């Protein structure tokens, strides 16, 4: 899952000094779920590095295999148990062959939600560690392998995790490429009736401003050009400034925009109730803030929105979009939708399609409602039949697909600044991101373009990507 191997061990003399002094050990992390898990997986690599662990891209040569899990829908959680079954076999095979021991760990939201239940269901798991407890991993690893039941760490205080993680400049995983995630906020207090996040990630916590700015500067020093600020409810950010005063996401964006060398900013995921005027204004006048906004609405029916406890109506969402578009007319919008929420009628679903037509999205994530244990919606009568959910999902995705391809096609003929952050399929192809988060492919790309932003003439738009050509005269030295 991880993109590249890390260097060998960097230090010893810790509580795991016996490990650090021995041959370098390997950790393999498989990441499921949202971007916050991607960020956390890198932090777990960082936290283990001083203890002699380097990252590997295969479970086969790993001493520790860690699954960083997601609990958001039933399928996501089920995947974890089937993967664990495979790891149990691997552990047994190694033991039978006298090979090296395998420590199995489960991190993330399934670990948090299931805790000791997982101990019973998968007794071969050695460590179960919730999202706010990753700083405890080295101690857990040190204690593992003595044949006892799995260790479970699922305490909550989010600040401990951030304070105890290695500072950005000491990270092994710093700047894996020109784009990076930076978690600024954790947890959620919204309690939508379908959602597990408030239970798995706990209540809202915002990191202090100076820590975020320091981390961003380190990323930029490492070659990062674009940062995506992360939070389960990122626009509820209220991290304290140096004087201990709460700030806002709009204020943070303005402060980050002053960092030389940082060219682009994005943030995800937002709640419509927390899109305040200061943030909308920032979309209007902070050039580095990209014209793309992921703003989940879930449904276009007020009846369903109310049952979901979304705390806004369809009308509120539409007015909000008007305001945002007034500040930044070319903003591209993305959203999340759930179809088949308990009690959703045909008319409710039509209202969702109506909202999609009215707003116009450039892409979206859409899901069939999945009943989650412990959430209020799970106990409601009127659960919707699977075939109805399937049909609604197909119709919704077809409509979004039409809007997406129309937007991409309309980009043909435009000149867009593209940040090149990936290699293409052929040696001469490079892939980058447009301001609207579209993938842009170019052929015959000079290798020096990787990590740079260049003006690209868009020649063709497809369902999922754009094809373009480098504007040579812009790149050529004067
Ligand atoms: N914090 C974000 C998103 C959290 S989860 C927000 O407030 O929008 C990402 C998406 O998963 C949600 O937006 C929702 O569309 C979907 N989701 C969450 N719980 C779900 C469930 N029980 N069934 C189906 N989809 C769900
Ligand atoms: Fe879940 Fe709602 Fe919080 Fe988003 S706002 S994380 S959907 S409870
Ligand atoms: Fe999944 Fe947890 Fe993220 S449930 S979506 S990994 S916050």
């Amino acid at each position: 899952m991880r993109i590249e191997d890390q260097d060998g061990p960097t230090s010893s003399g810790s509580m795991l000094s016996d490990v650090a002094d021995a041959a370098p050990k390997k950790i393999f992390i498989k990441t499921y779920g949202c971007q916050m898990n991607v960020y956390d997986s890198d932090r777990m690599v960082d936290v283990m590095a001083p203890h002699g662990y380097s990252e590997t891209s295969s479970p086969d040569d790993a001493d520790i295999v860690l699954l960083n899990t997601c609990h958001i829908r039933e399928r996501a959680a089920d995947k974890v148990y089937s993967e664990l079954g495979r790891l149990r076999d691997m552990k047994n095979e190694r033991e039978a062959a006298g090979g090296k021991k395998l420590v199995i760990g489960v991190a993330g939201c399934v670990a948090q939600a299931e805790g000791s239940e997982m101990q019973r269901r998968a007794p071969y798991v050695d460590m179960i560690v919730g999202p706010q407890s990753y700083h405890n991993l080295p101690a857990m690893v040190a204690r593992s392998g003595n044949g006892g039941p799995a260790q479970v760490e699922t305490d909550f205080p989010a600040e401990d995790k951030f304070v105890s993680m290695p500072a950005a400049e000491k990270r092994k995983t710093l700047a894996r490429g020109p784009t990076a995630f930076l978690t600024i906020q954790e947890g959620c207090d919204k309690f939508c009736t379908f959602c597990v996040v408030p239970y798995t990630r706990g209540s809202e916590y915002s990191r202090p401003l100076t820590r975020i700015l320091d981390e961003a500067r380190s990323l930029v020093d490492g070659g990062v050009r674009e940062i995506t600020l992360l939070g389960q409810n990122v626009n509820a950010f209220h991290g304290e400034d140096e004087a201990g005063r709460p700030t806002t996401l709009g204020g943070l964006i303005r402060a980050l925009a002053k960092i030389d060398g940082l060219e682009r900013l994005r943030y995800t995921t937002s709640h419509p109730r927390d899109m305040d005027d200061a943030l909308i204004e920032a979309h209007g006048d902070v050039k580095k803030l990209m014209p793309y906004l992921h703003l989940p609405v879930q449904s276009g029916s007020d009846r369903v929105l109310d049952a979901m406890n979304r705390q806004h109506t369809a009308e509120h969402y539409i007015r909000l979009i008007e305001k945002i578009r007034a500040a930044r007319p070319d903003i591209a919008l993305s959203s999340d939708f759930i179809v088949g929420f308990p009690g959703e009628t045909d008319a409710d679903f039509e209202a969702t399609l109506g909202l999609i037509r009215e707003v116009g999205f450039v892409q979206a994530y859409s899901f069939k409602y999945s009943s989650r244990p412990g959430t209020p919606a799970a106990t409601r009568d009127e659960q919707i039949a699977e075939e109805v959910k399937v049909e609604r999902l197909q119709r919704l995705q077809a409509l979004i697909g039409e809007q997406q391809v129309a937007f991409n096609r309309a980009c043909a003929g435009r000149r867009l600044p593209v940040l090149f952050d990936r290699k293409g399929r052929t040696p001469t192809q490079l892939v980058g991101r447009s301001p609207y988060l579209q993938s842009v492919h170019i052929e015959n790309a000079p290798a020096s373009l990787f990590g740079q932003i260049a003006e690209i003439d868009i020649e063709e738009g497809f369902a999922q990507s754009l094809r373009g050509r480098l504007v040579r005269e812009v790149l050529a030295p004067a």
Side-chain angles (χ1 to χ4, degrees):
M1 169 68 202
R2 307 266 39 96
I3 310 157
E4 55 191 64
D5 277 18
Q6 300 300 301
D7 300 329
T10 50
S11 68
S12 59
S14 62
M15 72 183 108
L16 286 187
S17 54
D18 51 334
V19 174
D21 292 342
K25 295 205 168 193
K26 303 259 184 207
I27 181 166
F28 171 76
I29 306 184
K30 184 162 181 173
T31 309
Y32 302 81
C34 61
Q35 294 102 323
M36 305 194 62
N37 267 8
V38 175
Y39 179 88
D40 284 346
S41 290
D42 282 352
R43 298 298 75 75
M44 288 190 267
V45 171
D46 295 336
V47 104
M48 292 310 296
H51 303 288
Y53 282 82
S54 65
E55 194 185 15
T56 171
S57 55
S58 156
D60 298 332
D61 65 341
D63 301 87
I64 304 174
V65 172
L66 202 54
L67 304 182
N68 192 7
T69 61
C70 173
H71 201 240
I72 201 82
R73 284 167 290 276
E74 197 176 354
R75 247 170 62 100
D78 286 348
K79 271 195 218 154
V80 174
Y81 279 101
S82 49
E83 186 67 33
L84 280 177
R86 282 192 287 275
L87 290 175
R88 176 200 51 208
D89 295 346
M90 191 166 148
K91 189 174 185 159
N92 291 342
E93 279 161 27
R94 279 199 200 175
E95 211 165 288
K100 69 174 163 183
K101 262 169 77 171
L102 176 64
V103 173
I104 302 176
V106 180
C109 292
V110 177
Q112 186 67 43
E114 306 228 332
S116 43
E117 171 63 27
M118 180 173 274
Q119 251 177 344
R120 278 187 289 280
R121 210 171 142 187
Y124 45 88
V125 170
D126 301 283
M127 310 179 296
I128 297 167
V129 54
Q132 312 309 347
S133 305
Y134 296 151
H135 50 290
N136 297 325
L137 259 183
M140 295 176 83
V141 171
R143 290 195 300 262
S144 70
N146 51 16
Q151 305 169 59
V152 184
E153 291 269 3
T154 48
D155 282 349
F156 257 132
E159 54 272 43
D160 291 358
K161 159 176 161 179
F162 288 108
V163 170
S164 315
M165 291 287 192
E169 66 279 8
K170 297 215 178 97
R171 280 185 197 158
K172 303 297 289 175
T173 58
L174 188 72
R176 287 183 183 277
T179 60
F181 293 135
L182 200 175
T183 295
I184 63 167
Q185 183 272 338
E186 283 258 358
C188 180
D189 295 340
K190 289 284 188 295
F191 290 93
C192 301
T193 56
F194 51 81
C195 183
V196 295
V197 171
Y199 312 97
T200 62
R201 295 273 173 170
S203 54
E204 281 174 9
Y205 165 75
S206 297
R207 296 178 67 191
L209 208 65
T210 47
R211 301 275 304 197
I212 297 167
L213 292 170
D214 285 349
E215 187 163 331
R217 282 189 208 99
S218 298
L219 289 169
V220 172
D221 290 346
V224 168
R225 295 284 162 265
E226 175 178 308
I227 292 180
T228 303
L229 306 172
L230 298 182
Q232 265 88 20
N233 203 359
V234 75
N235 55 351
F237 174 82
H238 57 269
E240 289 180 353
D241 65 13
E242 267 175 332
R245 287 176 304 234
T247 59
T248 62
L249 182 58
L252 172 64
I253 285 169
R254 285 178 196 279
L256 286 164
K258 293 199 181 105
I259 298 177
D260 281 341
L262 177 56
E263 306 296 344
R264 293 176 160 197
L265 284 162
R266 304 179 186 275
Y267 61 91
T268 200
T269 295
S270 298
H271 192 287
R273 276 295 296 264
D274 294 321
M275 283 304 297
D276 61 19
D277 288 346
L279 182 55
I280 296 174
E281 253 172 54
H283 275 285
D285 56 31
V286 178
K287 283 210 174 62
K288 291 182 179 181
L289 184 57
M290 290 294 98
Y292 179 93
L293 176 64
H294 180 66
L295 193 61
V297 63
Q298 316 297 355
S299 168
S301 153
D302 288 346
R303 221 175 57 82
V304 173
L305 287 169
D306 186 48
M308 287 176 164
N309 188 32
R310 286 291 293 181
Q311 305 170 41
H312 63 81
T313 60
E315 179 71 13
H316 173 260
Y317 186 86
I318 288 165
R319 296 285 91 84
L320 194 56
I321 297 298
E322 281 172 3
K323 240 169 136 175
I324 297 164
R325 281 196 167 129
R328 180 79 207 219
D330 70 331
I331 197 143
L333 295 163
S334 152
S335 198
D336 288 346
F337 297 92
I338 294 178
V339 300
F341 184 81
E344 185 189 68
T345 62
D346 284 340
D348 292 323
F349 177 64
E350 289 302 329
T352 301
L353 296 182
L355 180 138
I356 295 172
R357 285 192 197 97
E358 186 163 352
V359 173
F361 294 95
V362 305
Q363 78 97 52
Y365 300 96
S366 48
F367 313 97
K368 289 179 287 181
Y369 168 73
S370 170
S371 172
R372 306 309 292 128
T375 60
T379 56
R380 282 189 48 155
D381 301 333
E382 321 163 87
Q383 298 289 330
I384 303 295
E386 178 66 15
E387 60 271 22
V388 175
K389 290 185 193 171
V390 169
E391 199 252 344
R392 287 180 186 167
L393 189 67
Q394 280 168 356
R395 285 183 62 200
L396 188 148
Q397 289 182 341
L399 178 57
I400 294 283
E402 279 170 29
Q403 296 188 337
Q404 181 165 9
V405 75
F407 177 69
N408 287 347
R409 285 194 184 136
C411 288
R414 288 181 67 182
R415 181 169 288 185
L416 296 176
V418 174
L419 170 58
F420 287 96
D421 64 337
R422 278 163 288 160
K423 304 234 154 48
R425 264 168 303 185
T426 64
T428 58
Q429 196 181 60
L430 266 188
V431 187
R433 297 171 168 194
S434 78
Y436 311 109
L437 209 53
Q438 297 145 300
S439 288
V440 183
H441 301 250
I442 65 165
E443 294 295 340
N444 304 321
S448 57
L449 212 55
F450 185 83
Q452 306 295 321
I453 297 173
E455 294 288 325
I456 299 296
D457 280 336
I458 305 301
E459 295 175 317
E460 201 172 353
F462 307 101
Q464 306 285 345
S465 65
L466 306 177
R467 181 171 55 80
R469 195 168 42 83
L470 186 61
V471 181
R472 293 194 183 277
E473 59 273 28
V474 174
L475 269 193

